């Protein structure tokens, strides 16, 4: 979103946090230690699928925890490889488009808007998962596959900026949302004790997708040009997702009743409002460097392959960072880890990226920033559970998805800042990326103080 990398991404290394049956409502007033004890058994990398589309109790007694479930986990890996891998490398394509197809036709603001719209579409549609689930798994997967791949292929025929908005921004984003909702909802049906491993395999596709597709796209562009690169990747994606669609198999019957995914009354909770604002603001800092790094690299004289390598490194380290920092978060506190990682990511943008004028320095930035930039996707669900309570988690995450779509304006705002900067230098982009990370972290500090009245408490 990412997209949701990889929004939603794209949630990395998922473990056992499932809404099963009716959870007993906790007392209204509790100390923060008692509230954390309620979630102590729920590891950090929460499974969004089991929250937004809870597992049916009638089918939970004989969950295989393996078997065909590993095939479903592999399907998740392949789907994320296509969806979030493609979404992560928009910066690579937009850099080439600015010099070829859209030269003189589109500004940096226009180009950033295309990638941002795709991520926003993926986020906005995700809370509709209860409605889509009523249509059946293979139907939704088929619709998503056609929309996603057709969006990529049609982008290869685009010659005006509004063509890209329609084909890539809307059609691709819509298809990716349908595919994502389907895959992540099925994996929890096959796993309970090994769900973390299964979802970890699935989410690994996000980082591997960006790692592989970035240099692949650059090589194809050099050899065949942008139009045929999109067509080749679109056809490849279609082949992969057709296999995934044929292999997908649900253990539960199709739901027949609609579940309201959002409870508007939750917006009266001040802590929850601050959390939504902080998450949306901090996430702006995630998408901005991801989209701008190839442009900045070209600006300082790097080759196309060097620019694509930067994105590959970011995606690979992002996947690794979610696992490592998620593990650390379970020991120092999820909100604590989120605050620290956002501050570090912000300082890296302001201090290291600002003075990165060589390829080696940009590699250092990509490694360090990649490690800490994507903790939102691993830590947001359990932090939301802590703030709103387990009984309201499904609705809380649905609202969080909608608010997260607002973060996609980050690259657009950064592009506007760059255009207003003398000489269209990138210092405004770098400072903006760092500022939103740090400001988001300060809002999280407010939540921590309101909950614990301490800045060093475990939370």
């Amino acid at each position: 979103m990412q997209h949701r990398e990889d929004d939603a991404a794209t949630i990395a290394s998922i473990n056992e946090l499932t809404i099963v049956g009716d959870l007993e409502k906790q007392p209204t007033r509790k100390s923060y230690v008692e509230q954390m004890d309620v979630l102590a058994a729920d590891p950090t990398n929460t499974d969004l699928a089991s929250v937004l589309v809870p597992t049916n109790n009638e089918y939970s007694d004989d969950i295989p925890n393996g078997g065909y479930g590993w095939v479903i986990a592999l399907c998740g890996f392949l789907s994320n490889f296509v969806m979030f891998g493609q979404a992560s490398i928009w910066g690579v394509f937009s850099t080439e488009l600015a010099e070829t197809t859209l030269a003189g036709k589109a500004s940096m603001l226009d180009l950033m808007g295309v990638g941002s719209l795709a991520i926003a579409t993926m986020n906005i549609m995700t809370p509709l998962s209860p409605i889509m689930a009523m249509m059946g798994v293979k139907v939704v997967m088929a619709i998503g596959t056609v929309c996603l791949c057709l969006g990529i292929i049609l982008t290869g025929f685009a010659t005006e900026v509004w063509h890209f908005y329609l084909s890539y921004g809307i059609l691709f984003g819509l298809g990716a949302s349908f595919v994502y909702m389907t895959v992540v909802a099925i994996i929890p049906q096959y796993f309970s004790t090994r769900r973390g491993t299964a979802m970890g395999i699935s989410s690994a596709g996000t980082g591997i997708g960006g790692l592989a597709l970035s240099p692949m796209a650059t090589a194809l562009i050099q050899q065949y040009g942008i139009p045929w690169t999109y067509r080749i990747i679109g056809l490849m994606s279609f082949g992969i997702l057709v296999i995934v669609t044929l292999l997908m198999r649900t253990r539960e019957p199709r739901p027949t009743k609609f579940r309201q995914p959002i409870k508007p009354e939750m917006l009266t909770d001040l802590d929850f409002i601050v959390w939504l604002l902080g998450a949306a603001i901090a996430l702006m800092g995630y998408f901005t460097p991801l989209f701008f790094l190839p442009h900045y690299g070209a600006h300082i004289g790097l080759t196309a392959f060097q620019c694509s390598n930067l994105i590959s490194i970011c995606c690979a380290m992002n996947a690794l960072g979610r696992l490592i920092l998620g593990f650390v978060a379970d020991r120092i506190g999820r909100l604590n880890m989120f605050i620290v990682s956002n501050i570090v990511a912000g300082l890296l943008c302001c201090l290291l990226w600002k003075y990165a004028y060589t390829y080696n320095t940009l590699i250092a930035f990509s490694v360090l920033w990649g490690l800490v930039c994507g903790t939102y996707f691993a830590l947001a669900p359990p932090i939301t559970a802590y703030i709103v309570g387990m009984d309201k988690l499904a609705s809380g995450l649905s609202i969080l998805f909608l608010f997260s779509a607002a973060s996609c304006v980050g690259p657009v705002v950064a592009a506007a800042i760059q255009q207003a900067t003398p000489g269209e230098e990138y210092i405004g982009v770098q400072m903006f990326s760092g500022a939103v990370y740090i400001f988001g972290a300060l809002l999280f500090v407010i939540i921590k103080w309101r909950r614990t009245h301490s800045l060093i408490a475990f939370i």
Side-chain angles (χ1 to χ4, degrees):
M1 114 100 301
Q2 323 198 15
H3 249 129
R4 7 250 255 318
E5 338 156 64
D6 312 287
D7 319 1
T10 346
I11 306 302
S13 182
I14 311 301
N15 285 320
E16 301 177 23
L17 179 58
T18 311
I19 296 179
V20 179
D22 294 325
L23 295 176
E24 184 178 1
K25 188 174 182 181
Q26 301 298 323
T28 302
R29 299 187 62 84
K30 281 189 152 193
S31 70
Y32 80 94
V33 175
E34 292 174 315
Q35 295 180 51
M36 291 305 294
D37 285 342
V38 172
L39 299 177
D42 304 320
T44 290
N45 297 300
T46 306
D47 178 6
L48 287 186
S50 60
V51 174
L52 296 179
V53 186
T55 303
N56 192 324
N57 285 349
E58 298 178 7
Y59 298 85
S60 61
D61 293 336
D62 59 345
I63 290 179
N65 285 312
Y68 198 78
W70 298 119
V71 177
I72 301 299
L74 178 60
C75 289
F77 175 91
L78 294 174
S79 299
N80 287 328
F81 180 95
V82 170
M83 290 182 294
F84 297 112
Q86 176 65 32
S88 298
I89 64 172
W90 171 247
V92 174
F93 277 107
S94 61
T95 302
E96 295 294 333
L97 286 169
E99 300 175 356
T100 54
T101 306
L102 297 180
K105 297 180 180 180
S107 65
M108 181 71 77
L109 187 63
D110 296 325
L111 292 171
M112 292 299 105
V114 175
S116 296
L117 180 60
I119 302 296
T121 304
M122 294 170 64
N123 278 276
I124 290 174
M125 297 301 296
T126 301
L128 296 180
S129 55
I131 299 176
M132 302 303 298
M134 298 173 65
M135 298 174 60
V137 169
K138 291 193 180 293
V139 172
V140 179
M141 272 297 298
I143 294 174
T145 296
V146 171
C147 290
L148 185 152
C149 299
L150 190 60
I152 297 176
I153 293 172
L154 289 179
T155 303
F157 293 92
T159 57
E160 302 291 339
V161 67
W162 65 270
H163 298 167
F164 287 89
Y165 275 95
L166 292 177
S167 58
Y168 187 81
I170 295 180
L171 192 57
F172 167 78
L174 186 65
S177 178
F178 289 167
V179 171
Y180 174 78
M181 288 187 297
T182 304
V183 173
V184 298
I186 293 180
I187 293 178
Q189 298 178 14
Y190 286 86
F191 295 93
S192 57
T193 58
R194 297 180 179 177
R195 183 174 299 165
T197 302
M199 293 302 293
I201 293 172
S202 175
S203 62
T206 300
I208 301 301
L211 176 64
L213 289 181
S214 183
M216 173 185 168
T218 301
L220 288 173
I221 291 171
Q222 298 291 326
Q223 185 77 18
Y224 303 107
I226 289 180
W228 272 105
T229 298
Y230 268 118
R231 294 164 197 164
I232 292 170
I233 293 179
L235 291 172
M236 179 195 74
S237 300
F238 183 74
I240 292 174
L241 291 179
V242 165
I243 295 174
V244 170
T245 301
L246 294 175
L247 292 176
M248 293 301 289
R249 183 190 305 169
T250 180
R251 294 182 61 249
E252 301 178 1
R254 183 187 311 175
T256 57
K257 295 182 179 180
F258 171 71
R259 295 186 305 272
Q260 172 59 257
I262 294 178
K263 298 177 181 178
E265 62 271 14
M266 293 182 63
L267 296 176
T268 60
D269 184 340
L270 181 59
D271 286 348
F272 185 50
I273 293 296
V274 175
W275 163 240
L276 293 175
L277 292 175
I281 291 172
L283 200 55
M284 290 182 187
Y286 172 77
F287 293 112
T288 302
L290 202 60
F291 285 1
F292 272 91
L293 267 179
H295 291 272
Y296 179 74
H299 175 72
I300 64 173
L302 302 185
T303 66
F305 282 102
Q306 288 175 325
C307 293
S308 68
N309 287 341
L310 296 176
I311 299 302
S312 294
I313 293 170
C314 285
C315 291
M317 299 310 296
N318 188 353
L320 182 63
R322 295 183 196 183
L323 295 174
I324 295 175
L325 298 185
F327 177 82
V328 175
D330 286 331
R331 284 144 184 81
I332 69 171
R334 289 92 181 247
L335 190 58
N336 291 339
M337 185 73 259
F338 201 37
I339 292 171
V340 171
S341 62
N342 276 277
I343 291 176
V344 171
L347 291 176
L348 286 171
C349 290
C350 292
L351 301 179
L352 182 54
W353 188 14
K354 167 66 180 68
Y355 297 102
Y357 301 119
T358 65
Y359 181 51
N360 290 338
T361 312
L362 278 177
I363 288 179
F365 170 77
S366 299
V367 169
L368 296 175
W369 179 78
L371 277 173
V372 297
C373 68
T375 51
Y376 165 86
F377 302 101
L379 300 178
I383 293 175
T384 303
Y386 168 70
I387 293 173
V388 304
M390 290 293 294
D391 55 330
K392 297 179 180 178
L393 180 55
S395 179
L397 287 175
S398 295
I399 297 173
L400 180 62
F401 269 132
L402 293 177
F403 269 75
S404 296
S407 65
C408 298
V409 305
V412 178
V413 173
I417 293 173
Q418 189 213 12
Q419 288 185 356
T421 303
E424 294 193 354
E425 293 292 332
Y426 285 80
I427 184 172
V429 175
Q430 295 155 341
M431 295 301 108
F432 170 77
S433 301
V436 291
Y437 264 125
I438 295 172
F439 184 67
L442 293 178
L443 292 178
F444 305 144
V445 170
I446 293 175
I447 296 176
K448 179 175 181 176
W449 181 261
R450 282 175 50 83
R451 292 266 170 159
T452 68
H453 299 291
S454 170
L455 296 179
I456 60 174
F458 178 93
I459 181 174

